[in-house]
Amino acid sequence: MKQYTRPLAIETSGLTKTFGTHTAVDGIDLTVPASTVYGVLGPNGAGKTTTVRMLATLLRPDGGEARVFGHDVHQDAGAVRARIGLTGQYASLDEDLTGTENLMLLGRLLGHGKPAARQRAEQLLDVFALTDAASRQVKNYSGGMRRRIDIAASLIRTPDLLFLDEPTTGLDPRSRSQVWDVVRAVVAQGTTVLLTTQYLEEADQLADRIAVIDRGRLIAEGTPGQLKAGIGSGALRVRLRDAAERDAAARILAAALGGAVQRDADPVALTARTSLTGQGTAPAEQASRALAELAHAGIAVDEFSLGRPSLDEVFLTLTDRSTQEAAA
């Protein structure tokens, strides 16, 4: 059993949700320490959003238990709602109102007087670098600005736990980086963040721990470093001189290293994991032998590197393994 020095923000055991004959969440166990970023990673349809909706009291679990800061999400839903904020995949603001008007409206609905609501709106607009756009209608905001003000709306009342459900979907790299800065600032103030995402880099950049979910089941959990170490101690990346030789090179690397080889987006690039032969050979020696095999076959390599597996490789390996187990 894991031991945590911090209090727990979320604790679930056997959490389950079904829709008709489809099991969306299948017995998930989570343990999320307070004041951290906890990433929930998975492909479309994995059960990430359904899990968030249950934890945020928007869906009733069909089985198992879930507690937020010790409060049961079903039996004590009011106490849970008092301590959480939620930013979903789509903006929840009135696009015909300005940034200031939206935040003031939410502040008034949460019980603030008009001066206090305006003060909080101005404060959040400043923190999220939206002061220059405060008087513009939200429908005229860029995608990155919309996501920032949507997160700001979740912080009118500073929550102890903030759910961010794929907050950067569809954003360009610059806007995504701005949202990451916002998340880091929120956590620095003591808020726990549960972040669902499909972006591997996002989880790697932000999360203290990551849960990988596929087909409604938890298939791996740990720090980014632990997940990377779990699939092999090295990754050999090569760039070939001729893209036409990639299939032949992939077969040679698979035979030499004893595992699957990933064809990267670059048409001349391949990535293969080392330490999969079970023969106790060091990763560097395995890589050296594999490169020698390529040279012997007359396949020219322009570049190569040996390093730790990326989170992308972890994800592809784990979800492929999950698919194979489901088929079996």
Side-chain angles (χ1 to χ4, degrees), residues 2 4 29-31 37-41 203-204 207-212 218-229 311 314 318:
K2 302 182 185 72
Y4 294 98
D29 300 336
L30 295 178
T31 305
V37 178
Y38 193 89
V40 179
L41 189 63
D204 211 358
D208 299 288
R209 298 187 70 84
I210 297 171
V212 183
L218 180 68
I219 59 174
E221 198 274 347
T223 66
Q226 288 170 339
L227 294 178
K228 292 172 185 177
L311 203 55
V314 172
L318 292 173

Side-chain angles (χ1 to χ4, degrees), residues 207-283:
D208 299 288
R209 298 187 70 84
I210 297 171
V212 183
I213 294 177
D214 192 27
R215 300 171 184 267
R217 301 177 62 191
L218 180 68
I219 59 174
E221 198 274 347
T223 66
Q226 288 170 339
L227 294 178
K228 292 172 185 177
I231 69 161
S233 59
L236 174 64
R237 301 175 178 88
V238 300
R239 293 190 80 253
L240 307 174
R241 185 166 301 169
D242 186 352
E245 296 180 327
R246 187 159 79 157
D247 287 343
R251 289 192 294 270
I252 291 171
L253 290 175
L257 298 174
V261 177
Q262 176 185 330
R263 290 164 173 79
D264 300 337
D266 183 340
V268 296
L270 293 166
T271 300
R273 293 193 308 277
T274 60
S275 291
L276 297 177
T277 62
Q279 299 175 355
T281 307

Side-chain angles (χ1 to χ4, degrees), residues 38-63:
Y38 193 89
V40 179
L41 189 63
N44 283 330
K48 304 186 301 295
T49 296
T50 301
T51 299
V52 167
R53 289 174 64 82
M54 285 190 286
L55 293 172
T57 75
L58 299 177
L59 282 177
R60 179 176 178 176
D62 292 322

Side-chain angles (χ1 to χ4, degrees), residues 6-87:
R6 301 181 181 185
L8 296 181
I10 298 172
E11 189 172 17
T12 75
S13 176
L15 190 63
T16 303
K17 184 65 183 178
T18 59
F19 297 99
T21 59
H22 173 63
T23 301
V25 176
D26 189 7
I28 285 180
D29 300 336
L30 295 178
T31 305
V32 180
S35 302
T36 62
V37 178
Y38 193 89
V40 179
L41 189 63
N44 283 330
K48 304 186 301 295
T49 296
T50 301
T51 299
V52 167
R53 289 174 64 82
M54 285 190 286
L55 293 172
T57 75
L58 299 177
L59 282 177
R60 179 176 178 176
D62 292 322
E65 297 181 350
R67 296 182 178 276
V68 172
F69 293 106
H71 301 290
D72 186 276
V73 298
H74 173 57
Q75 298 179 356
D76 205 1
V80 172
R81 290 170 187 160
R83 302 192 67 174
I84 67 172
L86 171 64
T87 297

Side-chain angles (χ1 to χ4, degrees), residues 77-220:
V80 172
R81 290 170 187 160
R83 302 192 67 174
I84 67 172
L86 171 64
T87 297
Q89 295 180 22
Y90 306 100
S92 57
L93 303 174
D94 188 328
E95 294 197 345
D96 290 325
L97 298 180
T98 68
T100 298
E101 290 168 343
N102 265 290
L103 297 183
M104 284 190 64
L105 174 61
L106 292 169
R108 296 300 301 275
L109 290 173
L110 288 170
H112 294 310
K114 188 172 182 179
R118 177 174 291 278
Q119 182 181 24
R120 182 59 173 162
E122 291 174 350
Q123 180 185 37
L124 288 169
L125 289 165
D126 179 57
V127 169
F128 285 78
L130 291 168
T131 300
D132 291 342
S135 60
R136 286 162 49 189
Q137 291 176 303
V138 169
K139 65 183 178 183
N140 296 319
Y141 282 17
S142 68
M145 292 165 66
R146 284 171 181 246
R147 296 310 287 158
R148 298 208 305 277
I149 197 168
D150 206 31
I151 297 173
S154 302
L155 300 173
I156 293 289
R157 180 192 61 211
T158 304
D160 295 317
L161 169 62
L162 178 61
F163 294 103
L164 295 179
D165 191 13
E166 301 190 12
T168 62
T169 296
L171 297 187
D172 60 78
R174 179 183 178 85
S175 296
R176 187 175 301 150
S177 179
Q178 291 172 339
V179 172
W180 291 354
D181 289 340
V182 167
V183 173
R184 295 185 183 104
V186 167
V187 176
Q189 298 300 313
T191 295
T192 305
V193 171
L194 188 141
L195 169 77
T196 74
T197 183
Q198 298 179 60
Y199 295 120
L200 290 302
E201 183 187 6
E202 184 162 88
D204 211 358
Q205 285 280 336
L206 295 176
D208 299 288
R209 298 187 70 84
I210 297 171
V212 183
I213 294 177
D214 192 27
R215 300 171 184 267
R217 301 177 62 191
L218 180 68
I219 59 174

